[in-house]
Amino acid sequence: MSFTGHLNLNFCYPIAQVHAAALNGGLYNRPFLESFEETPMLVAVLTYMGYGILTVFGYLRDFLRHWKIERCHIAREKEEQKDFVPLYQDFENFYTRNLYMRIRDNWNRPICSVPGAKVDVIERASSDYNWTFNYTGRVVQEVINLGSYNYLGFAENTGPCATSAAEVTAKYGVGVASTRQEIGNLDGHEEMEKLVAKFLGVESAMAFGMGFATNSMNIPALAGKGCLILSDELNHASLVLGVRLSGSTIRVFKHNNMQNLEKLLREAIVHGQPRTHRPWKKILIVVEGIYSMEGSVVRLPEVIALKKRYRAYLYLDEAHSIGALGPRGRGVIDYFGLDPCDVDVMMGTFTKSFGAAGGYIAGKRELIEYLRSHSHSAVYATSMSPPVVEQIITSMKCIMGEDGTTIGLKRVQQLAGNVVYFRKRLQEMGFIIYGNEDSPVVPMMLYMPAKIGAFGREMLKRNIGVVVVGFPATPIIESRARFCISAAHTRDVLDRSVLCLKQSTKHKQRHSSHTTKLLKPNHGH
């Protein structure tokens, strides 16, 4: 069966609005709704103008720094080393020193509490325009946390997870000080990996101490020269690094665009490798469950159908979707009601929904045994800390109901309800938001560079902690605030957050010199 007839609902920027229905030849068993709105022309023009003005002033300030009229804070060689080959890339840091520094106070804010539904933030001030910060000694308490990936609320210092982690720390200590293959393989590691495999519904799994390294160190073990990797254009940096380190040929397809993916698959089958035209040793499709900057969910039923048709392999990164999607909290496969065996390599992290650290690879037993001896992260990295292992075990048993309670299931349901409620409230207020209606990652568009810093500061004044994101992490005309919803958030907390959003945007509109409003009717809802 050809897919060309029913893939017209895939989006490709720029578009006005997307509502993908659950048709597609019966591949979906539930509605699949995602919204993306094209940046208005006036907003785009004013945004480019804003960046242009900042760039002009940046070159002016660099000129003043060169002649020592203005003090230079950037890392550079000493005068006696001026004839050396430069150690620091001066021109490439232009954006950092002239644009990022202006709003740097919105990032790296130190907290001094558990990153739960609310956090305590250490106040800091700068006397040199954000080049350095000084702590004032004051702590801003009870800041509503809309930035952490604490989807199920397990990042806490009370309750069964914290208690069991403390008990394990007293027994095993904090560090293992060895690799799994030497003397760092604990009984807890074995128990955790069996539990992960059971949770995901696969034969076997293995864990790693760092989520980023789970991708960047394992993909090179699975693909190499003579292999083709088809990667979504919005894949995470860890995936991008992993496919580059593998030495494979890389082809990038448009985000969630199945027509483009099928086109690349066809070309790969027909033409083979460059120059020799020999068949590829293997073709690996690399996608994410939830894309952390867009809030979109992978069109997994269609990806699996294409993968089967063209006999490719599928690598699925569920860093943000595991625990956060599906009626049982078991990720995007559970969300679509698919068979876990249809995904060749299942990857995920424990850093978000489980409130711990590290990552996992799961799949067939042969795959895991191969990685145990071929993955650099498995062979050379120190094994996972015992209290972290216990946090994962306890939280996962809670989600599965193996602790004898329904607390985990209630948290999964609470998260789903909070996501729908928060997104609906923002849409009713006219904010332009991106992503899938069930995604706990909620991007709200800000567009202009000046609004990035202003929005983050105004929200903190109202005791709301948010993450603001701009270029180069996003397209230059698509700066945004990114909210991460948690099961730990109550309706009162969400209502207060929405009210503060309304107040902060009104404040900016009254005092901003820009003519374009942040609030814009979201046509189509």
Side-chain angles (χ1 to χ4, degrees), residues 41 54 89 116-117 150 234 259 261 278 407 414 416 447:
M41 180 60 71
L54 288 171
Q89 298 296 319
N150 184 27
L234 295 184
Q259 288 175 317
L261 175 58
R278 292 177 180 174
I407 294 175
Q414 175 75 12
Y447 298 115

Side-chain angles (χ1 to χ4, degrees), residues 502-519:
K502 187 174 182 179
Q503 292 173 349
S504 65
T505 51
K506 284 184 177 179
H507 175 84
K508 290 201 275 91
Q509 287 171 350
R510 287 197 302 269
H511 294 85
S512 175
S513 59
H514 293 295
T515 59
T516 302
K517 295 182 179 180
L518 174 66
L519 289 174

Side-chain angles (χ1 to χ4, degrees), residues 78 98 150 173 240 256 280 296 310 339 346 368 414:
K78 298 178 181 178
N98 291 306
N150 184 27
V240 173
N256 244 355
W280 295 100
S296 59
Y310 292 98
D339 186 352
M346 298 175 63
I368 303 306
Q414 175 75 12

Side-chain angles (χ1 to χ4, degrees), residues 206-210 213-214 217-218 374-382:
M206 64 183 300
F208 305 86
M210 182 181 178
T214 305
M217 293 290 100
N218 282 292
H374 288 80
S375 169
H376 283 75
S377 188
V379 177
Y380 299 109
T382 302

Side-chain angles (χ1 to χ4, degrees), residues 247-310:
S248 304
T249 300
I250 305 167
R251 299 283 185 269
V252 178
F253 62 92
K254 295 175 182 178
H255 175 53
N256 244 355
N257 191 314
M258 298 301 106
Q259 288 175 317
N260 189 221
L261 175 58
E262 184 171 19
K263 178 176 178 289
L264 293 177
L265 283 167
R266 282 176 176 171
E267 291 176 351
I269 299 298
V270 171
H271 300 294
Q273 299 185 42
R275 293 189 299 274
T276 64
H277 299 292
R278 292 177 180 174
W280 295 100
K281 293 180 179 178
K282 71 182 76 167
I283 300 175
L284 181 67
I285 302 171
V286 180
V287 294
E288 293 188 50
I290 292 179
Y291 291 84
S292 60
M293 208 58 72
E294 303 294 318
S296 59
V297 175
V298 64
R299 303 177 72 90
L300 191 60
E302 297 172 62
V303 175
I304 289 177
L306 288 174
K307 166 238 173 186
K308 288 181 176 179
R309 180 179 182 184
Y310 292 98

Side-chain angles (χ1 to χ4, degrees), residues 5 55 145 299 400:
T55 302
N145 182 8
R299 303 177 72 90
M400 298 170 69

Side-chain angles (χ1 to χ4, degrees), residues 4 22 44 54 57 73 208 213 250 260 266 291 297 314-315 325 420 425 430 436 439 479 483 490:
T4 20
L54 288 171
F57 275 92
H73 296 272
F208 305 86
I250 305 167
N260 189 221
R266 282 176 176 171
Y291 291 84
V297 175
L314 176 59
Y315 186 107
L325 280 182
V420 173
R425 288 294 307 273
N436 191 284
S439 170
S479 299
F483 307 114
T490 63

